[in-house]
Amino acid sequence: MTRVAVVTGAGSGIGRVVARTLLDDGWSVALAGRRPEPLRDTADGHPEALAVPTDVADPAAVDALFAAVRERWGRVDLLFNNAGGFGPAGTPDEIDVDAWRATVDVNLTGSFLCARAAFAAMRAQEPQGGRIINNGSISAHAPRPGSIAYTTTKHAITGLTKSISLDGRAFGIACGQIDIGNAATDMTAGIAAGARQADGSVRPEPTFDARHVGEAVRHMANLPLGANVGSLTITATAMPFVGRG
């Protein structure tokens, strides 16, 4: 049976890596993101890739995405809820309210809207069920200085994950979260050059190959629905996360 995945934020970074990993593993994958050209680059002509330009903060666009997936393949087996951004940087008094709301709209409300649509599809289809994997962050555990908007949304993703995991039990819907620290992507390129630490200093931090994130998501995705990885943390081994540096 065809295994069908939806990957948001698939035009670059972690989303692109995960989408290509799933395609290589035999999944059919809908690629969602705001810009058509990067989605086509991710698809790279793969016959089982479907590029669907989508603003995840727009309920109508999310509904259209999942309608396109069901029209193409008839079901949804996996959602990798990945779209998001760092948002504004600064101390709380320096954060523009509109920039705060824009970050919440994409990182949190967008994740909810996609999870909502995936949950509805998984509940209604036969055979019933599926899996949702939310991309949290190391910031779901510990913030960086000046990251209140991003950090708040990523803490909220943990609540989203736990609630979906509980509510999905009756319908064979599993939900887990992957928290990633310092995977090497365009979005995190500055970390290797120098990242601000809790003491205010700026120091380079180690990174790791993002393909290992793809492998971790593939492992979570390929579990039978009777088993679930509720939370998985993957980091560069020596990043300053565990302990005091």
Side-chain angles (χ1 to χ4, degrees):
M1 185 177 70
T2 300
R3 298 173 299 168
V4 180
V6 177
V7 176
T8 67
S12 62
I14 294 298
R16 173 172 286 179
V17 170
V18 168
R20 287 179 171 173
T21 300
L22 293 172
L23 286 166
D24 289 344
D25 195 44
W27 288 74
S28 300
V29 183
L31 312 170
R34 288 175 297 174
R35 298 171 296 155
E37 188 60 34
L39 296 179
R40 288 193 289 268
D41 289 345
T42 298
D44 195 26
H46 198 292
E48 286 302 309
L50 174 67
V52 186
T54 307
D55 176 358
V56 297
D58 179 352
V62 171
D63 288 344
L65 164 65
F66 282 85
V69 174
R70 293 194 303 274
E71 181 178 356
R72 172 75 177 268
W73 291 297
R75 62 183 293 109
V76 179
D77 297 292
L78 173 69
L79 165 65
F80 182 50
N81 230 345
N82 168 72
F86 284 138
T91 55
D93 57 308
E94 297 170 336
I95 300 301
D96 177 76
V97 173
D98 288 339
W100 162 276
R101 286 175 172 157
T103 307
V104 172
D105 282 349
V106 174
N107 291 7
L108 180 55
T109 304
S111 292
F112 163 73
L113 291 173
C114 291
R116 176 178 179 270
F119 196 106
M122 293 169 181
R123 181 176 181 174
Q125 65 197 12
E126 292 293 338
Q128 190 180 61
R131 188 179 307 274
I132 297 169
I133 301 173
N134 294 322
N135 187 351
S137 169
I138 291 301
S139 291
H141 305 275
R144 291 188 183 276
S147 66
I148 191 168
Y150 180 76
T151 295
T152 300
T153 61
K154 292 305 182 177
H155 272 70
I157 290 296
T158 301
L160 183 74
T161 299
K162 291 179 178 180
S163 290
I164 294 169
S165 181
L166 185 61
D167 292 341
R169 288 179 180 178
F171 311 107
I173 299 171
C175 185
Q177 180 167 321
I178 185 167
D179 296 324
I180 303 161
N182 289 11
T185 67
D186 291 343
M187 186 175 174
T188 60
I191 289 173
R196 187 167 298 281
Q197 307 299 308
D199 63 2
S201 64
V202 176
R203 297 198 299 272
E205 293 185 10
T207 60
F208 71 99
D209 193 324
R211 67 185 173 88
H212 300 306
V213 176
E215 293 164 356
V217 172
R218 179 179 62 193
H219 168 69
M220 296 169 75
N222 285 335
L223 288 172
L225 290 178
N228 186 45
V229 175
S231 177
L232 186 154
T233 302
I234 181 169
T235 73
T237 301
M239 76 170 291
F241 167 59
V242 177
R244 301 190 182 189

